[in-house]
Every structure is written in C-alpha cells, then in structure tokens.
Amino acid sequence: MPSLKHLRVRINSVKATQKITSAMKMVAASKLRRAQEQAEAARPYVERMERMVSSIALTVAENENASALLRGRDSDETHLLVVATSDRGLCGGFNASIVRAVRARISDKKTVKLFIIGRKGRDQLRREYGTKFLETRDGPGSIGPGYSDATEVARKLVELFDGKEFDVCTVVYNEFKTAMTQVVTFQQLIPFSPNTSADEINLDGAIYEFEPDEDAILEKLLPRNISVQIYHALLENGASEQGARMMAMDNATRNAGDMIDKLTLTYNRTRQAMITKELIEIVSGAEAL
C-alpha cells in the first residue's frame, strides 16, 4: 500500500498537470477562433478561384499547346505528396491521421515522393520513407500560415515539375469541419483537376471573350491557383490543429480530474486505515496493562 506522503505527492503532481492542460485548452480555444475565422473567410475566394480556372480550363484542355500544369504529361507514374502537418504535438490524432492516410496512399502507388511541411510529419515518416523525401520545411508556427509561405511552396513545386521530378502532385491536409471533426483530404494540384464539369458551370447565358487568350491567362492563373490552394490547405490545417489540441487538452483535463478523485479517495481510505490501526494498538496496549 502506498504511503500517505507518496499519495500526497501524486495528487499535487496531477493537480499541477491539470492546471497546465486547462491553460493549454484555453489557449487553443483562443487560437481556434482566429484560425477558424481565417479558414472560413478564405473558402469563398478559393472556391471562386477554382471555378474560374475550371471554366477556362475546360475550353482549352484538349489543346495540345495547353500548359503542362493543366493537361499534365503522358505518364503519371511518379506522384508527389505534399504532406501538411504541425510542428507541435499534444493535439490528439491530428498528425497520426494524416500520416496514416499517406502511408496507405504510398502503398497504392508505384512511385511516390514526399514534400513534407511540418516537423511532426517529417519525424514520423523519416525512418520508413526518408529516401522518398524531396524537401522538408517547418510549419507556419504559432503565428499561422502566410500567403508568402504558400507562394514559396508553390514556386518550388512548379520548379520541381518543370525539372520532371514528378508527374502528379497532391496536397494532403486535414479539412476543418468542427472542433471535434477533421477530415483528411487529398487535393490534386498538378495537373489541375477541375471538380466541376462543363454542365455544372452556369454562366447564366453570358458569353465571355478573353483578352489575352485563354492560354495566356492560364499561364499566369495556374501557378497562382496552386498558391491559393496550398494557402487554403494550410489555413484548414491550422484550424484543425487547434481544434484537435483543444479537444485533447479538454480530455486530458477531465482525465486528470478523475485521477485526482481516485487518488483522493485512496488517500482518505489509507489515512483512515492508519488511524484505525493506531487506535487498535492503543486499546490493545491499555488492556494489556
């Protein structure tokens, strides 16, 4: 049976841990509010950008002179996965769910290369797939992602594509639904894959003339769309990370409370048993005299 001193030390230790997890929960909740606002504010622009690129791309997709970023290459053997994770842990299964999905995707493809954003993804995938790494970068950190970060990643991806390092590029991230729900999402960036068909794009009877022509517009628009989609993925990932961390710290705080209750109950029972034992010894000694 543990001593009273040992139980007191454990209770105080768990109480200190509970204070830390409670503080981390409040910090994550505060950051979640800001990250969620940023992610939700970016969604209309991202959707409109994708719709605009889709409407132009559908008219020139069959053109042999169309950009390789649009029509792709003849081969699709080499796939590049841009894996967006976090730099910090203590966020439940946020990083583990992304890494698990990446492992499943790697087993399905013949040749896969990895572009890792975030230290946790790099650390978890390095031992098994370190030879597949093309590049690794730290995540956006506590300040949140900036558009300049996404632009730099997009520039590097286009550079690697032009260097024929891969044929198809897909970004992997957690899409934010609620603080309790994040969905691992795969979105193809290169070549551009429209999510809408020609019949679904409603122009309300309007006829558009492009100046300059569609190819010249797409030459500038496709790299920018890659930047926008990566920025959107980082924003969604940031909100998902804070939501997962808030829920993980909330569960940790509750578990610490349950543990404190159990330890306190054990402490009181042990203390009562020791008092009872001392009383019995006193009574027995008195009777012996």
Side-chain angles (χ1 to χ4, degrees):
M1 181 179 293
S3 64
L4 291 179
K5 181 180 179 181
H6 177 72
L7 289 172
R8 283 197 300 268
V9 170
R10 286 195 63 189
I11 290 173
N12 292 332
S13 175
V14 176
K15 284 183 177 179
T17 302
Q18 186 183 41
K19 290 180 181 179
I20 294 173
T21 57
S22 179
M24 291 184 66
K25 172 191 171 183
M26 290 187 290
V27 171
S30 176
K31 291 183 177 180
L32 171 62
R33 189 177 300 108
R34 179 173 177 270
Q36 183 177 355
E37 289 175 356
Q38 288 181 325
E40 292 176 348
R43 286 174 184 172
Y45 180 83
V46 173
E47 293 172 359
R48 189 65 179 176
M49 167 69 82
E50 186 174 7
R51 182 175 181 270
M52 179 174 61
V53 177
S54 298
S55 64
I56 302 175
L58 290 172
T59 64
V60 299
E62 302 301 328
N63 188 351
E64 295 182 356
N65 297 324
S67 171
L69 293 175
L70 174 63
R71 59 182 174 82
R73 297 198 176 97
D74 296 334
S75 173
D76 61 349
E77 291 295 319
T78 305
H79 290 251
L80 176 66
L81 296 181
V82 181
V83 184
T85 59
S86 67
D87 286 341
R88 300 170 57 202
L90 298 177
C91 49
F94 170 78
N95 292 303
S97 61
I98 296 176
V99 171
R100 192 184 310 115
V102 169
R103 286 196 175 103
R105 180 61 66 94
I106 290 175
S107 64
D108 293 340
K109 302 297 182 182
K110 295 182 179 179
T111 304
V112 176
K113 298 180 180 180
L114 299 174
F115 188 113
I116 310 295
I117 302 175
R119 288 196 291 266
K120 286 299 179 181
R122 177 190 64 197
D123 295 342
Q124 293 185 36
L125 293 170
R126 174 182 288 166
R127 176 175 297 181
E128 191 173 358
Y129 303 109
T131 57
K132 298 180 181 293
F133 284 9
L134 277 185
E135 186 169 337
T136 62
R137 299 187 178 210
D138 290 344
S142 59
I143 61 175
Y147 185 71
S148 59
D149 301 327
T151 302
E152 179 61 24
V153 173
R155 185 197 63 78
K156 185 63 177 180
L157 292 178
V158 174
E159 180 182 318
L160 292 172
F161 182 71
D162 292 338
K164 297 184 179 180
E165 292 287 345
F166 63 88
D167 301 315
V168 180
C169 175
T170 304
V171 62
V172 189
Y173 63 97
N174 263 324
E175 182 180 1
F176 179 80
K177 296 296 184 182
T178 65
M180 298 179 62
T181 307
Q182 301 88 34
V183 180
V184 178
T185 303
F186 289 81
Q187 182 175 0
Q188 183 173 309
L189 299 177
I190 302 174
F192 176 74
S193 178
N195 292 329
T196 55
S197 64
D199 297 334
E200 294 174 333
I201 299 177
N202 182 17
L203 300 179
D204 295 328
I207 298 176
Y208 290 94
E209 294 183 0
F210 298 98
E211 180 64 33
D213 60 16
E214 294 94 329
D215 292 332
I217 294 175
L218 285 175
E219 184 179 354
K220 297 292 185 181
L221 204 58
L222 286 172
R224 179 166 296 184
N225 178 66
I226 296 173
S227 300
V228 169
Q229 297 300 333
I230 292 175
Y231 183 53
H232 172 242
L234 293 178
L235 288 176
E236 294 284 342
N237 232 31
S240 298
E241 177 189 352
Q242 298 304 330
R245 179 170 289 112
M246 184 185 73
M247 296 306 301
M249 292 300 100
D250 180 58
N251 291 334
T253 302
R254 294 183 181 181
N255 291 338
D258 294 340
M259 186 176 293
I260 290 171
D261 292 340
K262 292 179 181 179
L263 289 173
T264 301
L265 182 61
T266 303
Y267 175 84
N268 291 333
R269 286 178 175 174
T270 303
R271 180 171 174 270
Q272 186 63 42
M274 293 180 66
I275 293 173
T276 303
K277 180 181 178 181
E278 291 176 358
L279 289 175
I280 292 174
E281 291 176 349
I282 292 173
V283 172
S284 301
E287 290 180 353
L289 293 175

